[in-house]
Amino acid sequence: MQIRRLAMMLFCALPMAALMYGCGSSSKEGSSSLSDVATVGDTACVQCHSAAKDPITGEGLVDQYNKSAHALSTSLNGAGCEACHGGGAQHNGVGPIAYPIPDATRCASCHTGTNSTVFQTALTQEGAENNSAALSNHANGGYEGVVTSEKCYRCHSGEGAVLSNVAGYTGDKNIIDNTAYMLTQDRDFSKFGGINCNTCHQHGGALRAANTRDGAGNVVTWDPNGNRKIDQFDLCTSCHVYQNPDGTLVASGTAALGTKPATAPFYHNTSWNRMIATTHWDNPATTGTQVSATADVTNTPIEGYVVRKTGANPCFDCHGHEAKANTQLATGTKPSTIYTDWAKSAHAGRLLEVKIAAATGSGTTQVDNVMNAKTDDTTGIAWTHYNWDNSTGIARGAGDQDRKTCQRCHTATGAANYLSSPSTYDAANNDFSHLSGWVKYNSRSNPTYTTQTSPQNELLYCWGCHSNSAKGTLRTPGAITANYTGNPYTYPDLAGSNVCMSCHVGQETGGSIKANADADGTLNFINAHYLAAGGTLFGTTGYEYADKSYANPSYFKHDTIGSSAAAGTGSNGPCAGCHMTTPNSHKFTNVTKTAGVITALTSTACITCHDGSHGTALQAGSADAATFLATEEHHYHAALDALAAALASKGIHFYAAYPYFFNGAGGTGGSYTTWAAPYGVDKWKDTMGAAFNYNLLHHDPGGYAHNRMYSKRLIWDSIDFIFDGDATNNDVTAAIDAQVTAGRITAETATNAKAYLGATRP
């Protein structure tokens, strides 16, 4: 009994120590004096250590090692055991060896993220200063004697997790509550420790296998992704249960109702933040809307992240060994992390905000409410509006169009593939087979196209932008070239901000209108697309009127933020320099709004330059800074309202739906196509240019900050032209006042617009 208890106490250290018995206390792990000791090969190691056993499972350590990738790999040049433990020429059972008990740092010396198996040293995401395994949720997850319960120790201790997976004490609440399946060995729970490397890895690094129980109570393999492999998804979900091997989701345990699925119960089935199905599952039964046979499928709801269950790293796609999701933020018990920040951001359709708002009621009712809460066109239109994974080349239904050209920005898969290699990117190679029902098109095997697309959609997941999410390693596309029609443009190399620029530079520019060869000005509106902040920042996307200067003033520095030219603003370019220098970096917002009005500046970067010597001091948290920015934003949109009114006075009515300009108010009368109507064929491009500038800046709500002077000049010149067909007479004040007289805008809007634009051209 006492020996067994001792074995349990030494669980973390014994496997490695047993193998290296006789190493001697005088050898310091990682000693530089041992780093170049010659190797002797596995045969010599096995001769002495073949009898060493795993103290929990009783399996031979050498047997475990022989099943590992380290033993089977041909890339270690035959180093075998010594690849991890160091050269054994001075060891011989009694002498020193460099790494008797290799730790996470030793593993990370090879597993840097470039290897096929990615290893992270339990990095937290708050900063490199927290590079410590002790800060990992897994390292801090053991009750370590506080609770003496078999059910708790099944997941909250290293020993309990190993024993349970061997015994088949793995699965949903029905299994965990079954006393017949509980471990029968005599165990002193007070000596159990937390989760550690050996909880998940056997000697040699191979993942431990997991077992469960079938309907008859027999021990069977735990294989919820059904690929007949021992893999990361199996091991992680043996505690973080997502679904049973039969495919049943594990959550509240309630029956199906409408589009809600029937679920098996999780052990913590009344706590939504303790189970992953509430946030990691997108219901394929909730499909989009198709209002007519010729309309696109739109507004496809998303209930959660779709796990790439059979991929190489389905959990490490976003998390690493640190596992710091901290969804308990919803209950106020944990600080935010990049995961909760991202899940509240526009890149995630603000899904976590929706989930938290849905956490009403109590018990399993609350769990169901959260699980079925969704983001849609109201909160996540960039991800829900169309059937983005449609890669058929034709319409699936009469109106559900192929979306390959959109996938680069509207799916994580497309973003990852483009950012990995822009020059070779081909949307036809985007593989969405992890989405329910998606099948790669083949005219022979899938002639009807009915299973080509999926009712699920992706958000912009961590792995879209990051090649190694847990370490925060960004993809490196290099300088972004935007293939605008008639005038492609290569933006400067902005380091990390290249990732942002790949989607935030628009699809067309004012130059696309100028390059258009249409003779009579009767054509569809040329659309800049949305959120083209990068184009505004660099002054490249607007329609620029002849003989007008749009060059940046000498004092403009926003395009140099995040470079050596703007000291103190970082090294990852302007997007990251402004939007990620904030306590909640992965929300990507640099202000806080209440009821749509800026109430706080959160970015800490602005004060670096705007310290008062250049006007208003933009100190994060300053009430004056918030007031200044709120006023700027309000006046910016007032100026745009004045431009929209001037366009409407010529019969060109903006409406917030494609193609945006119509013959009548509210999207009535059909799309506006007669651009020569107001001022003739010779000026149709200038007419469309005014509409283009409105649409461009209306869909860049931060244009007043991205490039204040460029935005003002585009609005000024557009109003100047559309009022009387002349962009040179500077009658903008009269044009704005005329809209008040006509009742298209209020006097207050006019006052604010004129305050933003000034009395003369900026």
Side-chain angles (χ1 to χ4, degrees):
M1 178 67 172
Q2 191 64 32
I3 294 175
R4 183 182 295 119
R5 290 184 178 182
L6 179 61
M8 301 306 299
M9 294 171 62
L10 298 177
F11 172 78
C12 298
L14 188 54
M16 299 300 183
L19 187 61
M20 292 293 105
Y21 176 77
C23 293
S25 59
S26 62
S27 69
K28 186 176 181 180
E29 183 164 324
S31 171
S32 59
S33 63
L34 297 173
S35 61
D36 57 353
V37 174
T39 60
V40 296
D42 281 359
T43 300
C45 303
V46 171
Q47 284 176 346
C48 289
H49 299 291
S50 60
K53 303 290 185 181
D54 185 317
I56 299 299
T57 66
E59 187 176 15
L61 295 182
V62 172
D63 292 336
Q64 289 184 351
Y65 164 73
N66 286 335
K67 294 185 293 185
S68 72
H70 287 165
L72 300 173
S73 173
T74 59
S75 63
L76 297 177
N77 298 319
C81 302
E82 293 156 297
C84 297
H85 293 283
Q90 297 179 16
H91 177 49
N92 294 324
V94 294
I97 195 165
Y99 302 96
I101 307 175
D103 60 10
T105 301
R106 176 63 176 162
C107 300
S109 65
C110 291
H111 295 284
T112 61
T114 58
N115 304 71
S116 58
T117 301
V118 179
F119 182 88
Q120 290 86 28
T121 56
L123 288 172
T124 64
Q125 296 303 307
E126 286 75 29
E129 69 276 10
N130 290 330
N131 184 359
S132 169
L135 295 174
S136 163
N137 275 4
H138 280 159
N140 294 332
Y143 284 108
E144 299 168 358
V146 177
V147 179
T148 57
S149 165
E150 194 102 28
K151 295 178 182 179
C152 298
Y153 275 102
R154 188 267 163 270
C155 286
H156 292 279
S157 74
E159 296 87 344
V162 173
L163 289 167
S164 297
N165 277 339
V166 171
Y169 188 46
T170 301
D172 61 38
K173 183 178 176 66
N174 295 317
I175 290 177
I176 302 304
D177 278 348
N178 193 322
T179 56
Y181 301 155
M182 293 182 187
L183 304 180
T184 59
Q185 295 96 329
D186 183 10
R187 294 288 181 255
D188 184 348
F189 291 127
S190 67
K191 301 299 190 292
F192 276 28
I195 306 301
N196 54 76
C197 300
N198 290 337
T199 304
C200 300
H201 296 279
Q202 298 183 130
H203 195 78
L207 293 177
R208 291 188 182 271
N211 294 313
T212 186
R213 301 281 181 151
D214 64 12
N218 300 310
V219 176
V220 295
T221 300
W222 173 256
D223 186 25
N225 57 2
N227 64 354
R228 300 182 181 182
K229 297 179 180 179
I230 299 172
D231 59 17
Q232 187 181 101
F233 186 79
D234 299 341
L235 185 61
C236 293
T237 62
S238 67
C239 279
H240 303 279
V241 186
Y242 175 68
Q243 64 183 116
N244 284 328
D246 65 0
T248 303
L249 287 165
V250 177
S252 67
T254 56
L257 178 63
T259 58
K260 298 179 180 180
T263 60
F266 186 61
Y267 180 66
H268 296 289
N269 68 322
T270 60
S271 301
W272 73 264
N273 55 286
R274 290 188 175 189
M275 61 189 75
I276 65 173
T278 55
T279 54
H280 287 64
W281 173 78
D282 181 22
N283 191 351
T286 54
T287 57
T289 302
Q290 191 170 19
V291 296
S292 70
T294 58
D296 282 301
V297 173
T298 60
N299 200 13
T300 300
I302 298 176
E303 289 87 359
Y305 167 80
V306 180
V307 182
R308 298 193 291 188
K309 295 186 297 185
T310 59
N313 291 290
C315 304
F316 279 20
D317 271 348
C318 290
H319 308 282
H321 287 85
E322 87 300 324
K324 279 188 169 287
N326 286 359
T327 50
Q328 281 183 303
L329 174 67
T331 59
T333 60
K334 288 192 175 184
S336 63
T337 67
I338 61 164
Y339 301 109
T340 53
D341 289 346
W342 168 82
K344 290 182 175 183
S345 77
H347 288 164
R350 297 183 171 86
L351 183 60
L352 184 56
E353 290 182 349
V354 174
K355 295 285 186 182
I356 292 172
T360 57
S362 61
T364 58
T365 298
Q366 183 184 89
V367 172
D368 287 342
N369 288 341
V370 173
M371 186 167 181
N372 291 285
K374 59 187 180 295
T375 186
D376 54 20
D377 280 7
T378 302
T379 49
I381 191 170
W383 321 111
T384 63
H385 191 58
Y386 288 125
N387 189 19
W388 303 113
D389 60 272
N390 188 338
S391 300
T392 59
I394 64 166
R396 181 182 66 166
D400 192 11
Q401 301 298 314
D402 178 279
R403 295 289 168 186
K404 284 197 293 291
T405 58
C406 309
Q407 290 168 2
R408 177 183 130 188
C409 292
H410 290 279
T411 70
T413 294
N417 291 340
Y418 175 80
L419 292 171
S420 295
S421 180
S423 62
T424 61
Y425 173 72
D426 183 351
N429 296 327
N430 289 336
D431 187 339
F432 298 93
S433 56
H434 55 287
L435 300 181
S436 175
W438 193 91
V439 178
K440 190 168 181 63
Y441 169 66
N442 179 287
S443 60
R444 292 183 178 179
S445 64
N446 187 21
T448 63
Y449 313 103
T450 56
T451 58
Q452 172 65 42
T453 60
S454 170
Q456 295 177 318
N457 272 355
E458 294 180 334
L459 302 165
L460 183 56
Y461 303 143
C462 307
W463 49 265
C465 297
H466 293 277
S467 59
N468 186 324
S469 301
K471 294 184 71 173
T473 306
L474 283 169
R475 300 189 187 277
T476 54
I480 298 299
T481 296
N483 292 312
Y484 305 126
T485 302
N487 61 327
Y489 183 83
T490 299
Y491 287 89
D493 190 338
L494 301 174
S497 290
N498 291 333
V499 171
C500 310
M501 294 288 287
S502 67
C503 289
H504 289 288
V505 293
Q507 290 188 336
E508 300 291 0
T509 70
S512 303
I513 297 174
K514 294 182 178 181
N516 191 282
D518 188 87
D520 61 5
T522 302
L523 73 164
N524 292 325
F525 177 63
I526 296 173
N527 179 26
H529 212 54
Y530 317 104
L531 302 179
T536 306
L537 177 69
F538 283 93
T540 58
T541 45
Y543 183 87
E544 300 178 0
Y545 287 87
D547 301 322
K548 297 284 188 177
S549 173
Y550 296 88
N552 290 325
S554 59
Y555 55 80
F556 180 74
K557 301 295 182 184
H558 283 189
D559 55 353
T560 66
I561 291 171
S563 73
S564 58
T569 60
S571 59
N572 260 328
C575 308
C578 284
H579 288 272
M580 301 190 76
T581 51
T582 171
N584 300 104
S585 63
H586 276 69
K587 280 188 176 180
F588 309 100
T589 55
N590 45 21
V591 296
T592 298
K593 288 188 174 183
T594 302
V597 177
I598 294 174
T599 54
L601 170 66
T602 55
S603 175
T604 58
C606 303
I607 195 64
T608 304
C609 298
H610 297 280
D611 55 1
S613 59
H614 300 283
T616 302
L618 296 181
Q619 173 70 53
S622 164
D624 289 340
T627 299
F628 171 78
L629 291 171
T631 301
E632 277 286 290
E633 182 180 55
H634 187 56
H635 289 180
Y636 169 70
H637 287 289
L640 285 171
D641 289 345
L643 172 54
L647 286 163
S649 73
K650 304 304 176 183
I652 307 170
H653 299 271
F654 177 81
Y655 180 67
Y658 184 82
Y660 305 111
F661 291 97
F662 296 84
N663 291 304
T668 61
S671 60
Y672 189 88
T673 58
T674 55
W675 300 99
Y679 299 114
V681 171
D682 291 344
K683 294 186 177 181
W684 80 258
K685 294 182 180 181
D686 285 350
T687 299
M688 185 187 282
F692 182 93
N693 286 340
Y694 174 82
N695 188 58
L696 172 75
L697 296 177
H698 174 78
H699 287 117
D700 181 9
Y704 68 95
H706 294 138
N707 193 327
R708 186 171 183 244
M709 192 63 72
Y710 187 67
S711 298
K712 287 184 177 185
R713 288 171 176 172
L714 292 178
I715 297 171
W716 178 282
D717 292 343
S718 297
I719 295 175
D720 194 11
F721 172 81
I722 205 65
F723 181 55
D724 57 7
D726 186 348
T728 64
N729 55 13
N730 291 320
D731 52 1
V732 171
T733 297
I736 294 174
D737 290 339
Q739 307 316 311
V740 178
T741 302
R744 296 187 185 93
I745 59 174
T746 66
E748 180 183 5
T749 296
T751 298
N752 291 337
K754 288 184 284 188
Y756 183 73
L757 295 172
T760 58
R761 185 178 188 269

